[in-house]
Amino acid sequence: MSQTTPALAGKLAGLQSSAIRDLLKLTARADVVSLAGGLPDAALMPRERIAAAAAAALDDAAVLQYTESPGWPALRAVLAARETARIGRAVPEAEVFITHGSQQALSLLAEVLLDPGALVIVEDPAYVGALQVFRAAGARIVAVPLDRDGMRVDALEELLAAGERPAVVHTVSNFHNPGGVTLAPERRRRLAELAEAHGFWIIEDDPYGELWFDAPAPAPIAAYSPQVIRLSSVSKILAPALRVGWMVAPDRVCRAVELLKQGADLCGSALTHRIATDLLTDTDWLAAHVTAIRTAYGTRAKSLVDAVRTTFGDRVSCTDATGGMFVWADFTDGTDTSALLPAALDAGVAYVPGSAFAVSDAYRSSMRLCFTTSDEPTLTEAVTRLAKAAE
Amino acid sequence: MSQTTPALAGKLAGLQSSAIRDLLKLTARADVVSLAGGLPDAALMPRERIAAAAAAALDDAAVLQYTESPGWPALRAVLAARETARIGRAVPEAEVFITHGSQQALSLLAEVLLDPGALVIVEDPAYVGALQVFRAAGARIVAVPLDRDGMRVDALEELLAAGERPAVVHTVSNFHNPGGVTLAPERRRRLAELAEAHGFWIIEDDPYGELWFDAPAPAPIAAYSPQVIRLSSVSKILAPALRVGWMVAPDRVCRAVELLKQGADLCGSALTHRIATDLLTDTDWLAAHVTAIRTAYGTRAKSLVDAVRTTFGDRVSCTDATGGMFVWADFTDGTDTSALLPAALDAGVAYVPGSAFAVSDAYRSSMRLCFTTSDEPTLTEAVTRLAKAAE
């Protein structure tokens, strides 16, 4: 039998499995409260409503056939209407392209928009799924730090002034994963201006925008410029198993993505596309459903943040819980969160060390805490255990 | 706004949409009998059985969550058992990897197995979805012709003797798309020997193997060597909308594919994976269901071939209808099938000209005829119309 081919050896050596995924395998123990996950709460997913939609969809054999590469037309239509309302300009169906989760939108866009060696600006800390895609595309990656108002657009301006010419700037604009912060409106406007002045694409990756707790997320960056490609999905508001994500992008980008999608996997599932269409068009039900998720996550998030602040005081600085699925916390005394993790697991709590999301900065004293899948007493207990480990 | 980036311009110029897909758009007219399609018959898909499986699956919220990148474990288990029986050696679950249709298996494998410029051997005429993937991977493509016994392995041997060193040989071993032929057992054995002697991978692409009409397909090429990566899917026996394909490959290949799958789209749908598991484990029902498809397609195929032979006599040479979804027909008098197509559409019949599948040979006088979605009288009428157009 032949040995591993050079290409295969390269893939095995060069690609790194997500540190988070590997960690999740270690933290699945029943005695560990995991704040390390990144999953929405399956108990809040609309199982019965999806079952009804599946049954209705399966009255028609057409949902079992191959569908168009850009997605089931009715789903594109309802998303075009929703995005029109969100962005504040008419989004035609031709500019909505359905993907297998928004991760597929990212990976197809990287193929379409990036030549090897092209510069991509990411946030630091970064969404690791984006890093994985941009690294696989052979991009040169430069990070811009986050602060409490999201991406430091001033730092991006310095890079541009120094002559850097990005092809793409990637940002998780709302309730950042892992950073927990939201890009301020004035920065959105400025970022869009920079894109137009310097001719780069903005990929506005927005899976969490609907999961706001006290006030809706600001207008999307896409509201300020057609040079923004917006990504989102139903994974966080309906169910990941529908595998329905989408991009809103200019027609010529969608057509290039379509050709790649044919080679990548031909098309999505008409069945799950139709289920998503049914739920997204049932607007009264949807509004109540999303409100229920917001309320549950908001309550959990605030109890986690309260416990962290009460328990650690000045020793840990934690983002406000304004939406999404995560808060980001920093030990102000230099505690090394990677070194702390084994003791934390012994004490019965897990988190993801900041280093897992680091690009330029090391984030050695940081951690990402996910609040979606535990109730309030459990989250409070988790913080108590963390404090014990950090003593 | 910036202009189209160089990468995007390249993709738009360099990638060609499938000629078949473009043609399908033209032949959707109600007055045209289309033999140009490539779709299984939705009327034969087990709509009610899938609805029951969906309802049962949705009793458990776990089917709505993200699932493991290699696929729902129970689905991998049932496929491992089926492939064990088919290949004739114990296939462990770790060597079964679920993909979003077998097209995704092809595209991820191309990334894993091919360095740019690597040599890939394909069949001529070729499955266009494979050509698209190998071209996108930057492979050098050399074609080996088909004859009535499938790939001309002697022609491959000549290439090897001349010093060619393929990384991958791709073959649709059973009921070829578009060629309609099946690789003879002795050629399977020889091809596997060559793979071991010369250290290349065989990708045995087998979506049609279960759709035999008179006698089962021969033992897979994978029965002769572990250097064969086998692909198949439920699209042709259950439903394309489940988007369930798979590969059987050595563990190190599956692990490399897993890393790429995470970047490509994270994971498949636990919901559709579980539906497929339910149907594949209901073995008595499945056997009867697949027999019903075989009977329907076999009857249609034979009526099409009979009509072609009766109507055209020696003027058209047509493959025997032994399985799958297609027959391949050649005008022996040099009729140009691309030139004939407008007249055929005027007469109310569509087919795909051989040139759409051509790699080295031009196949100017050939055409692919799909028999899956029309009943016998309609297929006979289609041939009458074709004869009128070809007069």
Side-chain angles (χ1 to χ4, degrees):
Chain A
M1 180 165 178
S2 81
Q3 297 312 302
T4 299
T5 59
L8 176 54
K11 298 293 173 189
L12 287 168
L15 284 170
Q16 294 184 0
S17 177
S18 158
I20 300 168
R21 283 178 175 263
D22 293 343
L23 187 69
L24 277 172
K25 290 175 189 166
L26 297 173
T27 60
R29 282 162 35 198
D31 59 331
V32 172
V33 176
S34 181
L35 309 177
L39 303 179
D41 187 352
L44 293 172
M45 294 175 199
R47 193 168 57 76
E48 290 177 7
R49 186 66 189 78
I50 288 173
L58 285 161
D59 278 343
D60 177 4
V63 302
L64 293 175
Q65 192 55 279
Y66 290 98
T67 186
E68 298 172 20
S69 298
W72 183 259
L75 178 57
R76 296 171 71 199
V78 62
L79 289 171
R82 287 170 60 89
E83 292 287 343
T84 292
R86 187 119 176 72
I87 299 176
R89 66 171 172 83
V91 174
E93 254 180 74
E95 297 186 5
V96 175
F97 193 100
I98 313 297
T99 51
H100 188 76
S102 59
Q103 182 72 26
Q104 186 181 45
L106 260 186
S107 74
L108 297 178
L109 280 172
E111 277 192 77
V112 164
L113 300 177
L114 299 176
D115 293 308
L119 175 61
V120 174
I121 305 286
V122 299
E123 294 163 319
D124 199 12
Y127 167 56
V128 292
L131 280 184
Q132 202 170 3
V133 161
F134 296 136
R135 284 179 179 146
R140 183 166 70 90
I141 295 170
V142 171
V144 165
L146 295 178
D147 66 15
R148 295 276 158 141
D149 287 324
M151 176 189 277
R152 290 237 343 251
V153 175
D154 63 313
L156 172 62
E157 288 198 64
E158 284 171 22
L159 288 170
L160 294 167
E164 292 283 19
R165 288 296 168 263
V168 164
V169 173
H170 176 265
T171 176
V172 180
S173 50
N174 295 317
F175 319 123
H176 195 274
N177 173 14
V181 295
T182 291
L183 189 64
E186 190 42 51
R187 291 193 186 176
R188 294 175 188 231
R189 178 188 305 278
R190 184 64 188 141
L191 182 56
E193 285 170 1
L194 292 172
E196 301 208 354
H198 294 273
F200 57 80
W201 292 100
I202 297 167
I203 297 180
E204 181 178 25
D205 199 348
D206 185 21
Y208 310 109
E210 301 217 40
L211 299 181
W212 49 268
F213 301 151
D214 300 316
I221 311 170
Y224 299 98
S225 169
Q227 207 137 328
V228 181
I229 298 173
R230 238 179 85 73
L231 313 187
S232 193
S233 96
V234 301
S235 296
K236 309 305 188 292
I237 58 168
L238 298 177
L242 298 179
R243 305 313 294 127
V244 168
W246 61 90
M247 71 176 77
V248 180
D251 183 69
R252 67 189 191 284
V253 173
C254 288
R255 298 294 72 74
V257 167
E258 181 173 353
L259 297 174
L260 290 175
K261 170 89 177 164
Q262 290 174 11
D265 60 14
L266 296 179
C267 64
S269 168
L271 175 59
T272 68
H273 287 194
R274 184 147 163 183
I275 293 170
T277 307
D278 187 338
L279 274 63
L280 292 173
T281 49
D282 189 354
T283 51
D284 288 348
W285 170 84
L286 182 67
H289 168 71
V290 175
T291 298
I293 299 176
R294 281 180 196 135
T295 303
Y297 285 1
T299 306
R300 293 170 194 177
K302 284 169 207 295
S303 81
L304 173 65
V305 171
D306 285 351
V308 168
R309 290 178 178 164
T310 305
T311 306
F312 286 99
D314 289 344
R315 195 183 167 199
V316 170
S317 159
C318 181
T319 55
D320 291 325
T322 57
M325 296 175 34
F326 307 102
V327 291
W328 181 259
D330 299 292
F331 278 94
T332 55
D333 62 356
T335 298
D336 183 317
T337 54
S338 294
L340 179 64
L341 189 57
L345 289 167
D346 281 347
V349 62
Y351 55 83
V352 184
S355 59
F357 313 97
V359 186
S360 295
D361 197 321
Y363 295 108
R364 284 219 176 79
S365 297
S366 307
M367 55 195 163
R368 186 189 77 173
L369 308 177
C370 177
F371 49 73
T372 53
T373 51
S374 305
D375 60 16
E376 297 87 79
T378 307
L379 290 164
T380 304
E381 169 64 18
V383 175
T384 303
R385 293 179 183 184
L386 183 61
K388 189 178 152 208
E391 258 168 21
Chain B
M1 179 167 177
S2 80
Q3 297 312 300
T4 299
T5 59
L8 177 54
K11 298 293 174 188
L12 286 168
L15 285 170
Q16 294 184 357
S17 177
S18 159
I20 300 167
R21 281 177 176 265
D22 293 342
L23 187 70
L24 277 172
K25 290 175 188 166
L26 297 174
T27 61
R29 282 162 34 197
D31 60 331
V32 172
V33 177
S34 181
L35 309 177
L39 303 179
D41 187 352
L44 294 172
M45 294 175 197
R47 194 169 56 77
E48 291 178 9
R49 186 67 190 75
I50 288 174
L58 285 161
D59 277 343
D60 178 4
V63 302
L64 293 175
Q65 191 55 279
Y66 291 98
T67 187
E68 298 173 20
S69 298
W72 183 259
L75 179 56
R76 295 171 71 200
V78 63
L79 289 171
R82 287 169 59 90
E83 292 287 344
T84 292
R86 186 118 175 76
I87 299 177
R89 66 171 172 83
V91 174
E93 253 180 74
E95 297 186 7
V96 175
F97 192 100
I98 314 297
T99 51
H100 188 75
S102 59
Q103 182 72 27
Q104 186 182 45
L106 258 185
S107 74
L108 297 178
L109 280 172
E111 277 193 77
V112 164
L113 300 178
L114 300 177
D115 292 308
L119 175 61
V120 174
I121 305 286
V122 299
E123 294 163 318
D124 200 11
Y127 167 55
V128 292
L131 279 184
Q132 202 171 4
V133 161
F134 296 136
R135 284 179 179 147
R140 184 166 69 92
I141 294 170
V142 172
V144 165
L146 294 177
D147 66 16
R148 294 278 158 140
D149 288 324
M151 176 188 277
R152 291 241 336 255
V153 175
D154 63 313
L156 171 62
E157 287 199 65
E158 283 172 24
L159 289 171
L160 293 166
E164 292 284 20
R165 287 295 168 265
V168 165
V169 173
H170 176 265
T171 176
V172 179
S173 51
N174 295 316
F175 318 123
H176 195 274
N177 174 12
V181 295
T182 291
L183 190 64
E186 189 42 51
R187 291 192 186 177
R188 293 176 188 231
R189 178 187 305 278
R190 183 64 188 141
L191 182 56
E193 285 170 1
L194 292 172
E196 301 208 354
H198 294 271
F200 57 80
W201 292 100
I202 298 167
I203 298 180
E204 181 178 27
D205 199 348
D206 185 21
Y208 310 109
E210 301 217 40
L211 299 181
W212 48 268
F213 300 151
D214 300 316
I221 312 171
Y224 299 99
S225 169
Q227 206 135 329
V228 180
I229 298 173
R230 238 178 85 73
L231 312 187
S232 193
S233 97
V234 302
S235 296
K236 310 305 189 291
I237 58 167
L238 298 178
L242 299 178
R243 306 312 294 128
V244 167
W246 62 89
M247 72 176 76
V248 180
D251 183 69
R252 68 189 190 284
V253 173
C254 288
R255 298 294 71 74
V257 167
E258 182 173 354
L259 297 175
L260 289 175
K261 170 89 176 164
Q262 291 174 11
D265 60 14
L266 296 179
C267 64
S269 167
L271 174 59
T272 68
H273 287 193
R274 184 145 163 188
I275 293 170
T277 308
D278 188 337
L279 273 63
L280 291 173
T281 50
D282 190 353
T283 49
D284 287 348
W285 170 84
L286 182 66
H289 168 70
V290 175
T291 298
I293 300 176
R294 280 180 195 136
T295 304
Y297 285 180
T299 306
R300 292 171 194 175
K302 284 169 207 294
S303 80
L304 174 65
V305 172
D306 285 350
V308 169
R309 290 178 178 162
T310 306
T311 307
F312 286 98
D314 289 344
R315 194 181 168 201
V316 171
S317 159
C318 181
T319 55
D320 291 326
T322 57
M325 295 174 36
F326 307 102
V327 292
W328 181 259
D330 298 292
F331 277 93
T332 55
D333 62 355
T335 297
D336 183 317
T337 53
S338 295
L340 179 64
L341 189 57
L345 289 167
D346 281 347
V349 62
Y351 55 82
V352 184
S355 59
F357 312 98
V359 187
S360 294
D361 197 321
Y363 295 108
R364 284 216 177 79
S365 299
S366 307
M367 55 193 163
R368 186 188 77 174
L369 308 177
C370 177
F371 48 73
T372 54
T373 50
S374 304
D375 61 17
E376 296 87 80
T378 307
L379 290 163
T380 304
E381 168 64 19
V383 175
T384 303
R385 293 179 183 184
L386 184 61
K388 189 177 151 209
E391 258 169 20

